Amino acid sequence: RRRKPLAVDLEGMASMHQAQQHKRRDSKDATVTRTPSGEDSPEGPQNDCQGFAKIFGEHPILSTLLFVATPLGFVSHYLEWSPQYVFATNFVAIIPLAWLIGKATEDVAAKVGETFGGLLNATFGNVVEMLLCVAGIRSGEILVVQCTLLGSMLSNLLLVMGCAFLAGGMFYAVQEYNQSGAAIQSSLMAMSVFAIGLPTVYTNVLHQEVEHEHMVQVSRWASVFLLSIYAAYLVFQLKTHSDLFTDDGEEEEEQPDLSVCTAAILLLVLTVITSFATDFLIDALETTVEAWKISREFVGIILLPIIGNAAEHYTAITVAMKNKMDLSLGVAAGSSCRSRHRRLRRVGFGLGPNGRGQHGVWADARRVRAVHEGDPLPDVPTRTRMALLVTPFTVLVGWWYGTEMTLNFHMFQLAVLYFAVFLVTTILSTGRCEKEGSTTLIGKTNWFQGYVLLVTYFVLGLIYFFEGSGQHKSLANSY
C-alpha cells in the first residue's frame, strides 16, 4: 500500500489536536452543540440575564468603566465640578458606552436579516461620532467638529491599521487579505479626498467673502451627493456585487447574546445616555483646552476619535494576532467590507499549539496554511462611514441648525488626509497576487508596514500636541 503524503498526516494530527483542545475548553466559553455533520456550533445564552452576564464577564475592564465612569460623568456635570473633571470623566465614560452600543447593534442586526442588519450596522456604527459632532455644532465648535471627522479617518487609516499589521506580524511573517475589497475602499477614500479637497482649495485660493457664501451652498449639496454614493455603495456591497466581499468556506454562525427586543431597548437607552455625555464633554471643552494648554485641533484629531472607536480598535488588533486579517481590516479600515466571525485551522511545520513557531513568535509563512471558515455579516468599514456618511450628515445637521458647517477643512488638514490616503493605498496595493485555484486577488501585509503607519501617526500627533492653545497658534487660522 502507498504511504499517505506527509501533508495529509500533518492535517490529521492537527485535527486530532484541535479535537483535544475542544474537550479542554474553559467553562467560561460559549456552550456548543453538535450539528448533523459533527461540527461544533456555538449556542447563545438561554436568556437575557445570562447574556448580560456573558457580555460583562468577558469584558471586565469596560464593564467597570461603564458602571463607574458613566455615573461620575453625570455627577460631575450636575454638581458643577471643575470643567477639567467634567471633561475627563465623560471622556472615559463614552468609551464603554460606545462599546456597548456596538454590541447591542450587532445583536439586533444578527436577527433582523442581512439587508436590514447591514443598514443598521451602517447607521449605528459611528453613532458616537455623530453625537459628538451634533453637540459640537450646537455649541459652535465647528473647528473641533471638523477635526473630529478628520481625526476619525486618520485614526483608522494610520493608528488602527498600523497596530493591526504590527501585532499580527509579530505572530505571522506574512498575512493575507481580500485585495478586491481593498481596491474598492481605496477608490472610495480617493473620492473622499476629492470631495473635501475641491471646496477647501476653492475657498483658500480665492479668499473672497462671496465665494465663502457659495462654498456653504456647494458643501451642503455636495453632502447630499456623498450620501447618495454611500447608499449606492450599500446596494453594491449587499446586493449586486456581494461576492467581492465574501470568502469561500463553510459558514459558522455566531449566536447573539441578547434578544432583539432587549438589544433594541438597550441601544435606544445607551444612545440617549451617550448624547448627554457628549453634551457635557463639549460644554467643558473650552475651559479644559485653556487649562491643559493644548489646542482644539489636538483634542479633535487625536483625543476624541479614541473614545468613539476604542472597542473596535481593540478588536482589530486582537483578531489580527489570530491571523484574521479580513476581519481586522474590515473593523479597522476596510480591505473587507463585511465583518467576519471565523475560526482557523493551522497546519504546518514548526507550529506550537497556539499557532506560534516553536522557536519563537515568528512563524514561517511558507509553512502555514490557514483555512478560513465563517459567516459574513454585513458591515461597512469605519473610514468609509466617516467619509461618506458621518461627514455629509454633519454638514446637513449644520444646515438644519443654521450653522455654516462646510467641507472646507483647511489646507493643512487636507494635506494630512491626502498623504495618509496615499500612504495606505500604496501599502494595500503592494504584494498583490492571485489566490491559488481561483481568480481572487489577495494582498499581503507584514509588521514593517504597520510600523511605518504608526510612526506616521505619532509624527502627526506631535505636530498637533506642540501646536499649543490659543487662537493665534491654530494651524487652521494661519492662512
Side-chain angles (χ1 to χ4, degrees):
R1 295 176 59 184
R2 294 182 59 187
R3 182 176 177 81
K4 293 183 178 180
L6 180 60
V8 176
D9 292 338
L10 288 170
E11 188 168 0
M13 293 170 61
S15 299
M16 292 176 60
H17 176 75
Q18 188 181 27
Q20 294 173 357
Q21 292 280 36
H22 283 305
K23 294 179 181 180
R24 295 194 297 266
R25 280 181 176 174
D26 198 292
S27 59
K28 292 187 296 183
D29 291 343
T31 305
V32 297
T33 57
R34 289 285 180 180
T35 63
S37 61
E39 294 287 337
D40 283 340
S41 176
E43 189 177 277
Q46 299 298 322
N47 52 57
D48 290 332
C49 292
Q50 292 183 5
F52 279 113
K54 182 174 181 290
I55 293 171
F56 295 139
E58 290 178 349
H59 302 86
I61 297 178
L62 288 172
S63 301
T64 303
L65 291 178
L66 177 68
F67 294 114
V68 174
T70 304
L72 278 178
F74 279 74
V75 169
S76 64
H77 173 77
Y78 288 110
L79 294 185
E80 298 182 352
W81 292 3
S82 171
Q84 303 173 52
Y85 297 112
V86 176
F87 181 91
T89 53
N90 284 280
F91 180 91
V92 176
I94 293 174
I95 295 177
L97 288 171
W99 155 67
L100 203 53
I101 285 175
K103 175 58 181 172
T105 303
E106 291 176 1
D107 285 0
V108 174
K111 291 294 187 180
V112 295
E114 180 174 318
T115 301
F116 186 72
L119 294 174
L120 190 66
N121 275 325
T123 304
F124 283 90
N126 289 89
V127 67
V128 174
E129 287 87 346
M130 289 181 175
L131 293 174
L132 281 170
C133 292
V134 171
I137 289 175
R138 291 169 56 188
S139 300
E141 295 284 356
I142 302 300
L143 178 60
V144 175
V145 171
Q146 291 180 325
C147 289
T148 301
L149 296 170
L150 178 67
S152 294
M153 289 185 275
L154 294 175
S155 175
N156 286 279
L157 284 170
L158 302 176
L159 177 62
V160 187
M161 189 183 295
C163 289
F165 286 0
L166 182 61
M170 297 299 291
F171 291 85
Y172 301 90
V174 176
Q175 296 180 287
E176 298 178 352
Y177 59 89
N178 183 353
Q179 220 286 324
S180 299
I184 295 173
Q185 291 302 314
S186 298
S187 300
L188 289 174
M189 286 307 301
M191 189 279 303
S192 302
V193 173
F194 181 82
I196 294 175
L198 281 183
T200 301
V201 173
Y202 179 81
T203 302
N204 286 274
V205 166
L206 294 180
H207 291 291
Q208 297 179 14
E209 186 66 27
V210 64
E211 303 304 337
H212 176 73
E213 295 177 0
H214 293 165
M215 185 46 50
V216 174
Q217 297 300 322
V218 169
S219 298
R220 291 170 177 173
W221 288 108
S223 297
V224 174
F225 288 113
L226 286 176
L227 289 175
S228 71
I229 292 177
Y230 184 76
Y233 174 69
L234 289 178
V235 176
F236 180 85
Q237 175 201 358
L238 300 176
K239 293 296 182 182
T240 62
H241 291 73
S242 60
D243 57 303
L244 294 178
F245 309 104
T246 58
D247 287 339
D248 297 329
E250 298 180 18
E251 293 188 355
E252 178 182 295
E253 186 175 353
E254 181 171 309
Q255 297 297 325
D257 295 316
L258 302 175
S259 65
V260 176
C261 182
T262 302
I265 294 174
L266 179 64
L267 181 61
L268 178 62
V269 172
L270 290 173
T271 302
V272 174
I273 294 175
T274 306
S275 67
F276 280 100
T278 54
D279 284 341
F280 300 159
L281 184 145
I282 295 297
D283 290 342
L285 176 62
E286 183 175 358
T287 305
T288 303
V289 165
E290 296 176 355
W292 291 356
K293 304 299 181 182
I294 57 177
S295 65
R296 281 177 165 79
E297 287 91 337
F298 181 79
V299 173
I301 290 181
I302 304 298
L303 294 183
L304 294 185
I306 294 176
I307 60 179
N309 298 310
E312 288 185 351
H313 295 182
Y314 173 77
T315 301
I317 295 170
T318 54
V319 298
M321 295 170 65
K322 300 176 183 178
N323 202 28
K324 305 178 183 181
M325 288 309 295
D326 274 337
L327 174 55
S328 177
L329 292 177
V331 173
S335 73
S336 171
C337 301
R338 289 186 176 189
S339 296
R340 292 169 174 85
H341 296 282
R342 302 186 197 276
R343 64 172 180 259
L344 299 179
R345 290 200 303 263
R346 300 181 185 89
V347 184
F349 294 94
L351 293 183
N354 295 323
R356 299 187 184 186
Q358 291 179 349
H359 301 288
V361 299
W362 304 100
D364 188 346
R366 294 171 298 179
R367 299 177 179 177
V368 179
R369 180 163 59 91
V371 181
H372 299 265
E373 300 172 352
D375 175 33
L377 298 177
D379 190 19
V380 181
T382 305
R383 71 176 185 181
T384 304
R385 289 197 300 258
M386 290 303 304
L388 300 181
L389 175 63
V390 182
T391 298
F393 167 81
T394 304
V395 174
L396 296 181
V397 169
W399 191 1
W400 174 266
Y401 281 101
T403 303
E404 294 185 351
M405 171 67 194
T406 70
L407 295 177
N408 175 17
F409 276 60
H410 309 289
M411 292 298 293
F412 184 77
Q413 282 87 336
L414 173 63
V416 169
L417 180 61
Y418 171 80
F419 288 127
V421 172
F422 176 77
L423 176 61
V424 171
T425 302
T426 302
I427 290 177
L428 292 180
S429 63
T430 58
R432 291 183 296 180
C433 61
E434 287 191 3
K435 188 176 182 180
E436 185 177 355
S438 70
T439 58
T440 302
L441 284 176
I442 58 174
K444 298 181 178 181
T445 67
N446 54 63
W447 68 268
F448 182 72
Q449 294 173 332
Y451 183 70
V452 170
L453 293 173
L454 284 177
V455 169
T456 305
Y457 187 78
F458 291 149
V459 171
L460 176 65
L462 287 174
I463 291 175
Y464 282 107
F465 179 76
F466 288 107
E467 179 184 357
S469 60
Q471 196 75 8
H472 63 286
K473 296 182 179 180
S474 174
L475 288 170
N477 298 312
S478 59
Y479 37 81

